[in-house]
Amino acid sequence: MLQRRNSSPLGIPLLVCLAGLSFATWVAFADSQETCISTGCQLFSDLSYAGVSLWHVGMFAFATLSLAALLGRTGLGLALAGLFLLGDIALLALMAFIAPCANCLIIATLFALSYAAFRAAKASPREPLGFPWLLFIWALLCSSNLVALAEERLSPWILQGTPEASVRIYFSPSCPACRDAIMGLLPSAKDVAFIPVAENDDDLNAIAVMQGQIAEGSSFFLAYRRATEATPRPVALLSATQEASLRFKLLRNKAHVFAAGSNRLPLIQTHGLAKLPGIGSNAPAADATLPLQPLEFEGCSGQPSAAPCPDATAR
């Protein structure tokens, strides 16, 4: 006896596929500057094959899946959804080695949901579909991209300055070489982002003191000198919540230092030709160099139990 083919629309798969079609269409025709929220978005926004944008391919894919769901073609929809998900897995693998793309991850999630919806519509006690290997592989790759995206979006905590500053300096209050670098950057302070890193609890207290004084209107350099040179050293009174928040921010800053391939301070990053002392056609030739004899995180010798760092003037 022949079984009649179900031709009624598949509700959930249709809704998911229409959502994917709508999002792909929006990204394809919207201004990339408005839709890009990650490095990967900027990299992949103009990616095309044979002159065809990947977002147009996504539109076609979701339109095809929507038609299959509308016509109730469960088997065809599942096969196509699996094929499209396989192609998306290849793109996720590429992004894992280059840079995460937030928009691509949204589309990837919609492809996975489409595949899962067609599987659910197809599944029956008489025809088990087995383990969803495609969804398993997709989940692994998507997770790695989400972690990379989170790391990219978590920018370092800047004590003073702006994210757009031409120079970023990661420093520790107890690091003599950092002090030299900070003083060398004094003429360019308006274009410098100062990013603290704590080597020990004394640094944590000094940074908390600096944060409080800057919040009260003090300049960075005055707050820095008060926190590191005053006798006796001022003590910051932090609640448990404030201390936990500050420790998290400083841990994030240290992670950025390690991610930059460095385990020494100070770490100075420049964007473009920074206006540093001694750089530029009209700059004086004298004092053109920044000091930089870097220190290990755990002190001058890199050992936690090492003697205190020698004064920078003794070099």
Side-chain angles (χ1 to χ4, degrees):
M1 180 177 179
L2 294 177
Q3 185 178 7
R4 293 185 63 186
R5 181 168 55 193
N6 180 21
S7 59
S8 60
L10 306 173
I12 296 178
L14 179 60
L15 289 176
V16 175
C17 295
L18 288 176
L21 176 61
S22 300
F23 185 77
T25 303
W26 175 68
V27 176
F29 294 102
D31 185 351
S32 60
Q33 297 297 323
E34 297 178 358
T35 61
C36 286
I37 62 170
S38 66
T39 303
C41 288
Q42 297 174 354
L43 289 173
F44 291 102
S45 61
D46 297 326
L47 187 63
S48 61
Y49 182 76
V52 180
S53 168
L54 288 184
W55 291 109
H56 293 143
V57 174
M59 290 169 56
F60 171 79
F62 279 113
T64 304
L65 292 175
S66 299
L67 182 60
L70 183 63
L71 297 177
R73 302 295 298 274
T74 309
L76 177 62
L78 179 60
L80 290 175
L83 179 64
F84 295 142
L85 183 61
L86 187 62
D88 198 67
I89 285 174
L91 182 60
L92 286 175
L94 180 64
M95 289 194 298
F97 286 99
I98 299 177
C101 165
N103 290 340
C104 302
L105 290 178
I106 294 174
I107 283 291
T109 301
L110 290 168
F111 272 126
L113 290 176
S114 300
Y115 179 72
F118 276 110
R119 273 182 62 93
K122 178 71 173 176
S124 68
R126 296 181 180 180
E127 299 181 21
L129 297 179
F131 187 79
W133 286 105
L134 279 180
L135 289 175
F136 177 73
I137 297 171
W138 172 88
L140 291 178
L141 291 171
C142 189
S143 298
S144 66
N145 278 275
L146 286 173
V147 170
L149 181 62
E151 291 176 348
E152 177 183 316
R153 299 300 297 174
L154 284 175
S155 58
W157 173 57
I158 298 174
L159 179 60
Q160 179 71 36
T162 65
E164 296 78 23
S166 297
V167 179
R168 287 185 176 186
I169 176 170
Y170 292 80
F171 71 95
S172 162
S174 62
C175 161
C178 297
R179 181 181 63 194
D180 289 348
I182 288 170
M183 294 307 163
L185 291 168
L186 179 59
S188 308
K190 292 183 179 180
D191 200 25
V192 178
F194 296 94
I195 305 174
V197 176
E199 300 183 45
N200 48 51
D201 286 341
D202 289 339
D203 280 350
L204 180 73
N205 177 71
I207 293 166
V209 170
M210 294 170 63
Q211 182 183 19
Q213 294 189 353
I214 290 172
E216 293 174 359
S218 174
S219 69
F220 171 82
F221 291 97
L222 184 57
Y224 174 78
R225 296 196 66 175
R226 286 175 179 169
T228 59
E229 297 178 11
T231 305
R233 297 290 171 84
V235 177
L237 299 178
L238 300 175
S239 67
T241 302
Q242 290 172 327
E243 181 178 343
S245 175
L246 182 58
R247 286 185 181 276
F248 174 76
K249 293 174 182 177
L250 295 175
L251 186 63
R252 197 169 80 210
N253 287 353
K254 182 176 283 192
H256 276 275
V257 174
F258 286 134
S262 175
N263 68 339
R264 295 172 179 265
L265 293 174
L267 170 65
I268 299 178
Q269 298 175 329
T270 62
H271 303 272
L273 182 60
K275 297 178 181 178
L276 297 176
I279 297 181
S281 58
N282 297 324
D287 300 324
T289 59
L290 287 176
L292 294 170
Q293 192 167 355
L295 305 177
E296 296 284 356
F297 274 122
E298 297 290 357
C300 294
S301 67
Q303 301 299 323
S305 58
C309 295
D311 188 85
T313 59
R315 288 192 263 109

